[in-house]
Amino acid sequence: MMSSENRSHFSASCSSFSEEARAKINLALHVTGQRPDGYHLLDMLVTFAGHGDRLDFMRSPTDALTLSGRFGETLAGDGGTNLVLKARDLLREVVGPLAFPVRIHLEKNLPVASGIGGGSADAAATLRGLMRLWGTTLSAETLAALALKLGADVPMCLESRPLIARGIGEKIEPVPDLPAFAMVLANPLKGVATPEVFRRLATKNNPALSLALSGSQAADWLAAIAAARNDLEPPARELVPEIAAISAMLQARGALLTRMSGSGATCFGIFASMTAAEGAAAALHDKRPDWYFQATETVSGGA
């Protein structure tokens, strides 16, 4: 799980580390049922963007968390609700005496609660970074169970590579053939209440994800993804009409495929090239500088 794909940085002093917390993109999200405990059963095709948050870890006399980045102030004052702190404390319980105090710096570049797994990616990066800093290893099973305690998306974010996730997100299958995509992430910076999105679902027992691929090229994957869906998008559009508007803006700038990620409100547009994606993001930012637009390239399954 802690492969070079995570782009971890090991400093020359061996006393600090950096971890990238990549944005998680739901290329497809099918709601297939609901458990007796209320958790919804999902089938998801997931990939990860090159863009995301960044966390730095350093030995310190006392524990500390500092924040920066465009959305850093959003997290200021949230105390124990921050998933970075929860991940630190949960891992410390397992590691024991080796878990000396640390200063963690979070550069928050992703919008908060926006359907692209920002908090979950931060938690996963915290687990990776602190295991390196504290010089400890855990079995894959123990680490996956620890991640799941932090949230259903955290095991996926530990992988940070293309995958299919089922159940509540804990049943993970790598997708090595998924290509990289040039993409624009777009968010109107208006929150969506995830419980309300699920409550408004007309049907909670929808057909499972089934990717009908006619080949292995990017065009074949685009066709298969286009035939899938995000079951949460229609109710999210009811709650936040800007989702429909931002999707139309991406299409107008030449996106080959647009869809909402997760429970929103972030949408993505897949473009033919990074040049096209960067041009679209710049034009859309000029039109709505108060919204979030980010050109990025997703990781490939074989990277």
Side-chain angles (χ1 to χ4, degrees):
M1 289 185 182
M2 290 179 286
S3 66
S4 59
E5 190 60 31
N6 295 318
R7 294 192 297 174
S8 300
H9 169 70
F10 179 36
S11 75
S13 66
C14 299
S15 62
S16 64
F17 297 89
S18 296
E19 285 281 348
E20 301 293 331
R22 293 187 172 124
K24 178 181 72 69
I25 314 300
N26 292 101
L27 297 173
L29 189 158
H30 294 201
V31 181
T32 60
Q34 188 172 17
R35 300 193 320 193
D37 61 4
Y39 278 97
H40 290 84
L41 300 175
L42 310 173
D43 280 6
M44 296 173 282
L45 176 63
V46 174
T47 192
F48 289 84
H51 185 75
D53 297 338
R54 177 188 172 93
L55 291 93
D56 299 316
F57 306 88
M58 182 177 295
R59 181 190 285 268
S60 174
T62 59
D63 283 332
L65 173 65
T66 56
L67 302 165
S68 67
R70 178 179 178 184
F71 301 102
E73 289 187 4
T74 309
L75 295 179
D78 72 346
T81 64
N82 190 303
L83 277 176
V84 169
L85 300 181
K86 289 185 175 181
R88 178 201 66 193
D89 295 343
L90 194 59
L91 183 60
R92 176 172 277 145
E93 290 178 9
V94 176
V95 171
L98 293 175
F100 51 76
V102 295
R103 183 177 81 85
I104 303 173
H105 181 76
L106 169 59
E107 182 183 294
K108 190 64 183 171
N109 302 313
L110 299 175
V112 176
S114 57
I116 50 177
S120 297
D122 294 343
T126 299
L127 294 177
R128 293 194 302 263
L130 289 181
M131 286 178 65
R132 289 171 64 82
L133 188 65
W134 287 337
T136 187
T137 57
L138 300 176
S139 69
E141 295 77 13
T142 299
L143 189 56
L146 200 65
L148 192 58
K149 287 183 179 180
L150 292 164
D153 284 351
V154 181
M156 286 179 270
C157 292
L158 270 175
E159 295 285 346
S160 286
R161 56 177 172 165
L163 54 87
I164 290 174
R166 294 188 170 89
I168 63 171
E170 82 284 10
K171 300 174 183 177
I172 293 173
E173 173 190 345
V175 183
D177 296 332
L178 187 71
F181 294 111
M183 184 178 286
V184 173
L185 303 178
N187 189 297
L189 299 183
K190 189 171 182 179
V192 185
T194 300
E196 181 64 15
V197 171
F198 276 102
R199 191 188 70 81
R200 287 174 175 248
L201 270 176
T203 305
K204 299 185 179 182
N205 294 285
N206 300 294
L209 175 66
S210 178
L211 295 171
L213 284 165
S214 57
S216 59
Q217 300 302 309
D220 302 313
W221 275 100
L222 274 175
I225 294 166
R229 61 189 190 274
N230 182 346
D231 289 330
L232 300 182
E233 186 164 349
R237 286 187 178 214
E238 293 176 7
L239 292 167
V240 182
E242 290 87 344
I243 293 172
I246 212 165
S247 180
M249 291 167 69
L250 289 166
Q251 290 175 350
R253 295 304 309 181
L256 305 175
L257 183 150
T258 64
R259 183 165 288 155
M260 189 184 80
S261 178
S263 59
T266 301
C267 296
F268 63 85
I270 296 177
F271 287 80
S273 67
M274 274 304 298
T275 299
E278 289 167 351
L284 292 170
H285 175 74
D286 288 343
K287 187 173 184 179
R288 289 301 305 257
D290 54 325
W291 288 2
Y292 171 85
F293 298 100
Q294 177 64 50
T296 189
E297 185 176 35
T298 62
V299 300
S300 68

